[in-house]
Amino acid sequence: QVTLRESGPALVKPTETLILTCTFSGFLLSTSAMCVNWIRQPPGKALEWLARIDWDDDKYYTTSLRPRLTISKDTSKNQVVLRMTDMDPVDTATYSCARGCSSSGFDFWGQGALVTVSS
Amino acid sequence: QSALTQPPSASGSPGQSVTISCTGTSRDFRGYSYVSWYQVHPGKAPKLIIYEVNKRPSGVPDRFSGSKSGDAASLTVSGLQDDDEADYYCCSYAGSDNFVFGTGTRVTVL
């Protein structure tokens, strides 16, 4: 059974760095053709793909936020971490991790973690 | 990368069909068959219902079908059921190792 769960702070201040952890089970990120993504959804707005890390440690980022994002993995802990610097109130959103590579779609998602950016 | 455009809402009575469009630029869809669709019930994690334009994951009923033509993709839900009432999002591979989602469509079962 594949599960993913996001964890991290619910509230961050402007200019701070957000660190979110995705802990997953039911698959190994060291297995070929496995990938984990981060996707966010601001309240009342559309989904936005942020980043992806592949089994071979290749990393991809959405162009508009690339300077602020870092994705990494710890295969021994079955975790993927997203780091987002210089947080702003417009970054308030539910942040979700999801499994999937280019063609397969995002087939399993976590429940999401609401992050509010406010002073 | 701008979001793909979807109608804000769509509706139909039980048993009827509803089709949701997803439009973008030629760069969004050209040459790519990596279009997927997601069903989102309030407070729940998104569910993959279509991938690679028209393929259904195991367990998704064949009432859900997808297609793509030119700069547009579409999702059709046939035989509407109460549980189909949800938000639906398209997603496409946009090149340069990026993905782009649609603006989302709220489907209401009348």
Side-chain angles (χ1 to χ4, degrees):
Chain A
Q1 180 188 4
V2 173
T3 65
L4 302 98
R5 186 182 75 251
E6 305 85 357
S7 58
L11 179 67
V12 297
K13 291 182 169 55
T15 75
E16 288 186 341
T17 294
L18 171 68
I19 298 176
L20 291 170
T21 300
C22 174
T23 304
F24 56 87
S25 63
F27 68 98
L28 297 176
L29 194 45
S30 55
T31 302
S32 179
M34 285 294 169
C35 315
V36 172
N37 303 261
W38 282 97
I39 295 160
R40 71 178 180 179
Q41 184 172 30
K45 297 189 176 181
L47 296 163
E48 179 183 21
W49 177 81
L50 299 176
R52 186 183 102 205
I53 189 164
D54 295 357
W55 75 100
D56 56 3
D57 211 37
D58 279 349
K59 300 162 188 174
Y60 306 93
Y61 301 96
T62 188
T63 303
S64 60
L65 294 172
R66 185 183 179 94
R68 300 173 52 204
L69 296 173
T70 304
I71 192 170
S72 61
K73 63 181 173 70
D74 185 335
T75 52
S76 67
K77 294 182 179 180
N78 283 346
Q79 291 181 334
V80 170
V81 174
L82 180 74
R83 188 171 182 267
M84 189 171 184
T85 62
D86 195 23
M87 293 293 285
D88 184 272
V90 299
D91 296 313
T92 293
T94 296
Y95 288 76
S96 301
C97 56
R99 189 183 79 164
C101 299
S102 298
S103 64
S104 58
F106 309 120
D107 58 355
F108 289 94
W109 296 61
Q111 280 293 113
L114 176 61
V115 177
T116 300
V117 184
S118 175
S119 54
Chain B
Q1 180 70 48
S2 299
L4 302 171
T5 300
Q6 297 179 233
S9 61
S11 62
S13 299
Q16 290 186 332
S17 296
V18 63
T19 297
I20 302 167
S21 61
C22 171
T23 60
T25 68
S26 58
R27 187 181 66 179
D28 294 322
F29 291 116
R30 181 183 60 200
Y32 304 133
S33 295
Y34 299 159
V35 179
S36 53
W37 289 88
Y38 301 86
Q39 178 190 62
V40 186
H41 285 109
K44 297 291 184 68
K47 176 184 178 182
L48 175 67
I49 54 174
I50 294 288
Y51 68 99
E52 289 183 18
V53 177
N54 55 15
K55 297 181 180 178
R56 282 175 287 104
S58 174
V60 174
D62 58 7
R63 301 186 297 104
F64 293 91
S65 61
S67 64
K68 179 172 76 78
S69 178
D71 297 345
S74 63
L75 171 73
T76 297
V77 185
S78 306
L80 271 174
Q81 300 180 0
D82 288 346
D83 191 51
D84 297 334
E85 186 160 294
D87 293 331
Y88 291 82
Y89 290 90
C90 61
C91 181
S92 176
Y93 178 67
S96 301
D97 300 310
N98 270 231
F99 290 86
V100 61
F101 281 93
T103 50
T105 298
R106 172 71 53 86
V107 169
T108 302
V109 181
L110 302 171

